[in-house]
Amino acid sequence: MPERETPPGAEAVDAPSPQAPPPGRAEGPAGALLRVEDTTGRRLGSGFLADDRGTVVTAYEAVRDAAELLVGRADGAGAAGPVRIGADAVTPLPGSGLALLRAPGLAAVPLPVAAGEAARGAYVLVAAGGWRQARVLGPAPFAGDGADGALAAGLELAIGTDGRNAARPGGGAAGAPVLDAATGQVLAVLTPALEVGRQGCFAVPLRAAVRDAPDGALAALLARNEATVPALGAGLNLAGALQLTATTVGSEGPQSPTAPPVERPGTAAELAAFEDGPCLVLGLVGAPGTGRTTELAALAARRAAGANPAPTVWLRGADLLPDDLDVGDAARRALARAARIVEAAGGNAPDRAAPHEDASPEEVARLARRAGRSLVLLLDGPEEMPPALAHRLSAWTTGTATWLARTGAKLVVGCRPEYWEQVCGLFPGALRHRPAEPQPGRPVTDCVPLGDLPEAAAAKARARYGLADGLLAERHARHPLTLRLLADVRRALPPGVPDPAERPGPGGDRSALPLDRDAVFSAYLDLMCLRTAVRLAAPHGLRGTALRRVAARVAGQLHEAARRCLGPGQGELDRESFESLFPWGTGGGRLGELPGCASAVLTEGLIIPAGAGYRFAHEELGDWLQGAHLDVDAALSALVHRWRVGGAEEAGG
């Protein structure tokens, strides 16, 4: 009879036949295993860091007789060395065979704890005389050492002789983590106190220990672990979901403003009521430049702060695809992009399952609900969706309402009034958030309106930006985007150049001083063209008149880009047009003799990637620039007169 197959390094034991071991993971996570020693340097056991407060999980057996301990990384790394702790920093849990140590300042990598338990026959990694592969044989009940004689369920593991010897009393592995071989999450903790005369090593499964004491210190630690130690991939936890969703805000959301935004108390109160209420859809409605994107970013920042951060996914209308069925499709792509960013930045071990394989918005919403929070999707500028999807707007909106109701996720739509008028009635009334104090006579209902800043908020914003009163005309002095762009222009003034507020108007008349929106936008466009020209000309040593010529050429290309945005792409500049106007390398376009035109324009941030193409970063500035190239007569003929003539002819026929 042939011998039964065993894992590499494991002895033949009486256990079910295993599956093939998972490929790829040969070692445990670097910098995660800890040594627990007495003050003489004698090894008492092992452990792992479980939260951001320096809490270490180990075996009760390793610390039961020690009055003072040294805790440090098992590999000896870390400039600070081991941390010395006394008996008052030890929380013994003898009934579970565990102990918690408070050792702040450890230069160790915290490990996420798995939400589930190890299945019989599953492969695990065990830190016993080095990282070794083992296999779960099944439960091994044992009596704890507590005075109350509490019982806890243990696990028996099949492992090789060296590993089994290390896991016995005095072997140094007591308290070592047992990791899921596929995800790297902690399933259990080795403890020699489970020795029951069988041929294996034994461990305490952490989730089972929590069930025995649901209100104890271990339960609180595991809740903190789930919220602060990210786990991605198949073992996605709340902290991992928060990391992914925060990445969508950081990568897809707006750049941080030069000055903190001024809070609009009424708007913030409505958004807070929406978060806490039963409704699933809120319309944040205003014209371009009134601060919709800023308010969405402020909401995301508030949700990410505090003791109980909540997941928020940032979406842009330009990133929707023609075949999307609902907003969940866009959220799924955003999370997948975020997972790739995290993975590339080293946020996921290279030998662990790819995180984007399981980063679904449905799972994120489930994790948020389990933690008593909600997943909120922020959809900025839905008007920028592809024309093919805009033609299916009714079906897409209905599908989105169904998806939100099924998952419990919430959606905040930052849009223009004309878009909300189209979709408001497509969301069931029970899903729509209604303001606490409806404004009579408002043309758009069931939404939170945005306009110019209230006078008190505008005064505070001008003070933060360093803008003197009277610098702007009264009708523009409360407009959010005008204030922001004027502040950018003023900051760019070189030393010694008089401030616009100090210059008299034509003929010395100071009554002509106040600036209007057109003047601010024009100055900002000139500033962006000059900055782009500096980037292009600096490698060639161009200055003075030559630099101004380059800036003029940049301005000409931007105006041509605005003209092309008036085509069928709903304000989008397609990739081919962008690259013909702003080549990546040399050759082509009016700027072709200077390499890196595209990089320079994108770096300055006047134009940004959006969807399959590019758009002006500031929607109102883009509208203003495009308006200079709009043929009003031709537009009226195409949009209005042609249909009226056609309808009259058809009726007459």
Side-chain angles (χ1 to χ4, degrees), residues 544-633:
T545 302
L547 177 61
R548 288 192 291 272
R549 288 198 189 100
V550 176
R553 290 203 296 271
V554 172
Q557 298 300 83
L558 287 171
H559 276 276
E560 176 60 18
R563 190 187 67 79
R564 296 191 187 188
C565 286
L566 293 171
Q570 297 192 199
E572 181 180 270
L573 184 68
D574 63 80
R575 189 174 300 275
E576 182 179 354
S577 295
F578 175 82
E579 293 178 351
S580 68
L581 294 171
F582 309 104
W584 291 99
T586 57
R590 296 176 61 193
L591 300 174
E593 66 273 16
L594 297 176
C597 302
S599 299
V601 170
L602 295 176
T603 300
E604 288 304 329
L606 185 60
I607 292 179
I608 59 174
Y614 299 84
R615 290 180 179 272
F616 285 92
H618 300 296
E619 188 178 0
E620 186 183 17
L621 181 65
D623 288 353
W624 173 80
L625 193 56
Q626 292 164 34
H629 301 277
L630 179 63
D631 187 334
V632 177
D633 292 336

Side-chain angles (χ1 to χ4, degrees), residues 314-373:
W314 191 284
L315 304 173
R316 298 184 299 177
D319 294 325
L320 302 177
L321 296 182
D323 57 351
D324 281 351
L325 299 179
D326 50 51
V327 75
D329 291 337
R332 189 169 294 104
R333 290 191 300 273
L335 290 171
R337 288 193 298 270
R340 288 191 289 270
I341 293 172
V342 171
E343 194 173 13
N348 198 63
D351 52 354
R352 196 176 299 175
H356 57 270
E357 292 179 355
D358 299 277
S360 72
E362 293 84 2
E363 177 63 11
V364 174
R366 186 190 68 80
L367 290 169
R369 287 198 312 273
R370 193 177 70 184
R373 307 164 205 183

Side-chain angles (χ1 to χ4, degrees), residues 146-160:
D148 56 359
L151 296 178
L155 287 178
E156 184 178 9
L157 307 176
I159 196 171

Side-chain angles (χ1 to χ4, degrees), residues 34-238:
L34 301 176
R35 292 172 59 97
V36 180
E37 303 172 336
D38 62 17
T39 53
T40 67
R42 180 171 63 94
R43 179 76 173 264
L44 301 177
S46 303
F48 71 93
L49 187 63
D51 64 6
D52 55 353
R53 303 180 184 179
T55 307
V56 175
V57 181
T58 186
Y60 174 65
E61 184 75 16
V63 300
R64 63 187 306 173
D65 297 323
E68 202 170 27
L69 300 167
L70 296 176
V71 184
R73 282 177 51 162
D75 57 10
V83 175
R84 183 185 294 267
I85 63 173
D88 59 339
V90 178
T91 301
L93 304 173
S96 299
L98 302 171
L100 307 181
L101 315 178
R102 295 187 300 279
L106 281 172
V109 178
L111 292 178
V113 176
E117 300 182 28
R120 181 189 294 268
Y123 280 87
V124 295
L125 291 178
V126 181
W131 288 101
R132 303 174 185 275
Q133 191 177 75
R135 187 163 50 88
V136 177
L137 298 180
F142 74 103
D145 291 338
D148 56 359
L151 296 178
L155 287 178
E156 184 178 9
L157 307 176
I159 196 171
T161 302
D162 292 342
R164 188 169 65 247
N165 290 338
R168 286 176 174 168
V178 177
L179 308 182
D180 185 303
T183 67
Q185 293 177 291
V186 180
L187 292 165
V189 172
L190 286 181
T191 173
L194 289 186
E195 179 61 67
V196 291
R198 296 166 66 179
Q199 298 299 310
C201 69
F202 301 89
V204 174
L206 294 176
R207 293 296 173 184
V210 165
R211 285 200 304 271
D212 291 342
D215 299 322
L218 182 62
L221 173 63
L222 296 198
R224 199 159 57 245
N225 176 275
E226 184 175 4
T228 60
V229 183
L232 305 177
L236 183 70
N237 64 2
L238 179 62

Side-chain angles (χ1 to χ4, degrees), residues 259-289:
V262 175
E263 183 177 286
R264 307 187 198 197
T267 302
E270 290 292 350
L271 292 172
F274 169 70
E275 287 187 82
D276 298 334
C279 297
L280 301 181
V281 180
L282 179 143
L284 189 64
V285 180

